[in-house]
Amino acid sequence: IVSPWCPHGVPAVCTGTDMKLLPPASPESHYETLRHLYEGCRVVQGNLELTYLPPGADTAFLRDIQEVQGYVLIAENRVSALQ
């Protein structure tokens, strides 16, 4: 769904994940995958799982999220804070 009030045609609704605490297959690209999934997202259909984030990861891509329709999991991170 693309909403006219979302900048640059970014979807207002995005799909969540269901990996639980399973380590990512590619730790190197895991952060970029999460950023791509949630940047500009307002409603997460499913779960918001923030796991295995590296130290110093910029989590500003989460700032637009207003609703999560599943659970929120924050675990196994090395980042010191979420924005």
Side-chain angles (χ1 to χ4, degrees):
I1 298 171
V2 177
S3 174
W5 43 269
C6 289
H8 314 294
V10 176
V13 177
C14 58
T15 303
T17 58
D18 192 26
M19 298 294 294
K20 303 202 178 25
L21 291 175
L22 190 65
S26 173
E28 298 79 20
S29 65
H30 180 64
Y31 167 78
E32 288 301 320
T33 300
L34 290 176
R35 189 180 62 76
H36 178 76
L37 279 173
Y38 299 122
E39 194 163 37
C41 179
R42 296 184 187 278
V43 177
V44 179
Q45 285 186 329
N47 309 319
L48 175 60
E49 299 175 327
L50 302 172
T51 59
Y52 302 99
L53 293 173
D58 180 2
T59 58
F61 63 89
L62 301 169
R63 69 178 167 253
D64 294 326
I65 296 175
Q66 298 174 356
E67 178 183 344
V68 177
Q69 295 176 344
Y71 62 77
V72 175
L73 173 64
I74 302 171
E76 302 296 332
N77 293 299
R78 293 186 173 182
V79 67
S80 59
L82 296 176
Q83 297 181 10

